[in-house]
Structure formats: C-alpha cells, structure tokens
C-alpha cells in the first residue's frame, strides 16, 4: 500500500524567523501522526534552519528546485549535493511557475531529475496542462508528452524514489481545484503510462500527488480516489493550521 505524502511548497515566502515559527507549529500539530509522510519545501535560504527544527520528528525536508551540474561557475544555482548537505531528501522539479517564469523545459527537467536521483534525492516531478489545453481536450496528450520528455533515457532502476505531481496549471493558486474525478482520470492515465513504459510493480508503488488549490476540505474527496496518493500544497502550506489539517485529512480511512 502506498503511504500518502503531503508536501508543502512554501514558494518565495518566509524569512528565517517566520519560517522557524511555521515549521515549529506544523511539527507540534502533526507530532503523533502515523501513516502519512510530510515534506516541507521552504526557500533555499532557510533549509538548514528548518532541518534543525524538524529533528526528532518524521517530517522531511525538500527544496523547490535544483541545478543539474555538481559544481562550477553557475552563478546563483544550487547543486544536488548542496541540497543533500542541508538535509534535503526531496526536491520539486519542473513546477509550472518555473516553466512559466524561468524558461524551464522538459529537457532541463530531465537533466535535473537525473542529477537529483544520482545523488539520492527524491524528485517530485510536476506535470500539468493549461486551461487552454484542457478546454481544447488536450490534457492527456500534454501529460503524455511531458512524461515522455521529462523521463527520456531512464530505466526503471534509475527512477526509484521518483514522485509525480499532477498540477493542472489552471488550478494553481487560483482557488479552482480539479474535481476528484477530473484528477483521478489523469492520475490513472499517469499510473498506466508508467506501467507501459517502465513496469507494473513500479507503477503500483509510484506515488502520484495532486496539486492545485488543495485545502483541508477538498483533500478529503481527492484522497479517496484510488490513484491519488497525496498532495503538493502551495498557498495552504504556509498556514500551520490549514496545512496540518490537510495532513490529518489525508490519512486514508479518516
Ligand atoms: C503549488 O504551488 O504547487 C500549488 C499547488 O499551489 P496552490 O496550492 O496554492 O494552488
């Protein structure tokens, strides 16, 4: 059985003191929870601080991006080994905001996923269609193309640890979430895609998160779906009470 995973993407929010306070409150709220994995993805500047806060808890640390080279003259970039050094176990790769504002492509995402996996970081690879693409009936075509290109040249043994986040672009930060049925349709497609392109056992163990305006209320319906294994949460993850409530509501059979 796949353990639900709830990851909080703090985006470009929180100074050091604010971040410590938020992580401390989340840690208190989720202290005794079992059967759910929690990952905090704060900005690079506070990774080490949050790593200290989450000691003696089951909360894990993730970053919001990574560069593919190990080191060198790449001003402003952060390497996989630097993230490991800060205590990261996860890294979000290919978030739609990075595709939209920072020229991220399926090709750069492929290189980042490879570099992350090589160092033992679990990539949370984001895929998703725009509103225009959904309205044109192209959702599955778009997801198929993104998966194909982001995961080109990998064998199944290379991608153990991979997590996929299905994040319809029209649902991110808009307050308009996909319905549980809309999300499940795409999640099922993604699981079958991995079955066909990698293996049945890998596809059955793969965690596929939904992302896009997840809140304490709508997670209950989403998590009931067979192929939805958790959520990548943006806005609601920077409030300790709502994020903790999402985590509690994501435990299957609640
Ligand atoms: C995200 O940033 O990945 C996200 C899903 O944002 P929000 O929850 O705010 O829609």
């Amino acid at each position: 059985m796949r353990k639900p995973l709830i990851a909080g993407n703090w985006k470009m929010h929180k100074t050091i003191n604010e971040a410590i306070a938020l992580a401390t409150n989340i840690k208190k709220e989720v202290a005794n929870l079992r059967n759910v994995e929690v990952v905090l993805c704060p900005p690079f500047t506070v990774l080490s601080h949050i790593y200290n806060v989450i000691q003696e808890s089951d909360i894990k640390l993730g970053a919001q991006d990574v560069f593919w080279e190990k080191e060198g003259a790449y001003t402003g970039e952060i390497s996989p080994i630097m993230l490991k050094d800060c205590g990261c176990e996860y890294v979000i790769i290919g978030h739609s905001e990075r595709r939209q504002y920072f020229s991220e492509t399926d090709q750069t995402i492929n290189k980042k996923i490879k570099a992350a996996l090589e160092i033992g970081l679990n990539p949370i690879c984001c895929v998703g269609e725009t509103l225009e693409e959904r309205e044109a009936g192209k959702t599955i075509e778009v997801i198929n193309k993104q998966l194909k290109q982001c995961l080109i040249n990998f064998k199944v043994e290379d991608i153990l640890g991979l997590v996929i986040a299905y994040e319809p672009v029209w649902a991110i930060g808009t307050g308009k979430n996909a319905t549980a049925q809309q999300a499940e349709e795409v999640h099922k497609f993604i699981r079958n895609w991995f079955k066909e392109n990698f293996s049945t056992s890998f596809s059955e163990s793969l965690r596929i998160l939904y992302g896009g305006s997840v809140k304490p209320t709508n997670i209950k319906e989403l998590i009931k779906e067979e192929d939805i294994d958790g959520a990548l949460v943006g806005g609601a993850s920077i409030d300790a009470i709502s994020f903790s409530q999402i985590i509690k509501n994501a435990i299957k059979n609640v």
Side-chain angles (χ1 to χ4, degrees), residues 137-168:
K138 291 188 173 157
T139 299
I140 295 300
E141 189 187 318
V142 168
I143 303 299
N144 182 43
K145 184 163 168 258
Q146 289 175 340
L147 289 173
K148 231 179 182 159
Q149 297 187 341
C150 292
L151 296 168
I152 200 161
N153 293 332
F154 285 120
K155 296 195 190 74
V156 70
E157 58 270 28
D158 300 329
I159 56 168
L160 306 176
L162 178 73
V163 175
I164 297 290
Y166 166 56
E167 298 212 305

Side-chain angles (χ1 to χ4, degrees), residues 7 9-11 92 95-97 126 165 167-168 171-176 210-215 232-237:
N9 173 14
W10 294 9
K11 309 196 186 195
I92 299 169
H95 191 280
S96 65
E97 287 155 14
C126 303
E167 298 212 305
I172 298 178
T174 59
K176 278 190 245 165
Y210 167 77
S213 299
V214 171
K215 300 179 203 71
L232 179 54
V233 186
S237 75

Side-chain angles (χ1 to χ4, degrees), residues 207-218:
R207 285 184 296 181
I208 308 172
L209 313 183
Y210 167 77
S213 299
V214 171
K215 300 179 203 71
T217 42
N218 59 27

